[in-house]
Amino acid sequence: MIDPVEAKYNLKNLEVLCPHMEKMEYFIFFGTLLGYCRQNNIIDGDDDVDFYVDISHRAEIIEILKKLEFEISIGNPYFLQGKRIIEGCPTYVDFYLYENEEQREYVLERWNFLAQPYNVATHL
C-alpha cells in the first residue's frame, strides 16, 4: 500500500478522469467501489483510485494520462498506474486492464492485486 490520501484528492482524480473515459468500457473497483457502495463516496485514507478498463483502451488511457499531466509510474501490458501531485500530495490512479472476448461469458483480469500476470492461478 502506498501512503493514504485524503478523499478529496482521490475524488479530484476521479472527477478529472471520468469525462475523458465516457466512450470506454470501464468501472471502478476495489476500495473505490467499496467506498461508493458503503458510504456513497471515496473512502478517506484510501491510497488510490481503482479502475477496471477493457484492455482495448490501453493506448487511449496512456494518452489521457499524458494529456492530464499524470506521470505513468507503472506501465505493463495488463496494468497502468498514473501519478499526479495535487496541492503537494502524491496521488495515484490504477488501471487494471481486463480482456473481454465475446466467446467467453466472463472478463479476464491478469494483474489484480497479486501482480502476477503470467500465473494463471492468480487471474480473476
Side-chain angles (χ1 to χ4, degrees):
M1 178 171 185
I2 301 171
D3 293 330
V5 174
E6 288 184 56
K8 68 180 182 179
Y9 298 134
N10 282 333
L11 185 58
K12 284 183 181 189
N13 281 337
L14 194 62
E15 289 171 341
V16 75
L17 284 162
C18 286
H20 294 275
M21 298 168 54
E22 288 179 343
K23 296 180 182 174
M24 296 181 194
E25 185 174 318
Y26 78 91
F27 52 95
I28 57 173
F29 209 67
F30 295 123
T32 309
L33 179 60
L34 175 64
Y36 271 90
C37 288
R38 190 173 63 190
Q39 58 201 58
N40 201 31
N41 206 342
I42 295 285
I43 296 171
D44 198 33
D46 196 357
D47 63 345
D48 61 13
V49 173
D50 299 302
F51 287 103
Y52 266 38
V53 181
D54 189 301
I55 199 165
S56 67
H57 299 296
R58 185 179 186 282
E60 293 169 79
I61 293 295
I62 291 170
E63 288 305 312
I64 290 167
L65 290 173
K66 288 178 181 178
K67 178 181 177 181
L68 297 174
E69 299 181 350
F70 281 82
E71 169 193 337
I72 297 176
S73 52
I74 300 175
N76 66 59
Y78 304 104
F79 179 79
L80 294 167
Q81 182 177 75
K83 177 182 178 183
R84 173 169 93 129
I85 307 294
I86 303 174
E87 297 176 5
C89 179
T91 66
Y92 298 87
V93 180
D94 293 344
F95 296 89
Y96 297 84
L97 305 171
Y98 65 84
E99 299 165 50
N100 187 7
E101 297 179 13
E102 290 184 22
Q103 67 270 23
R104 292 189 196 139
E105 294 183 14
Y106 58 89
V107 297
L108 175 63
E109 199 275 297
R110 297 174 189 267
W111 186 262
N112 61 68
F113 45 87
L114 296 172
Q116 298 177 20
Y118 304 107
N119 180 352
V120 176
T122 65
H123 295 173
L124 297 178

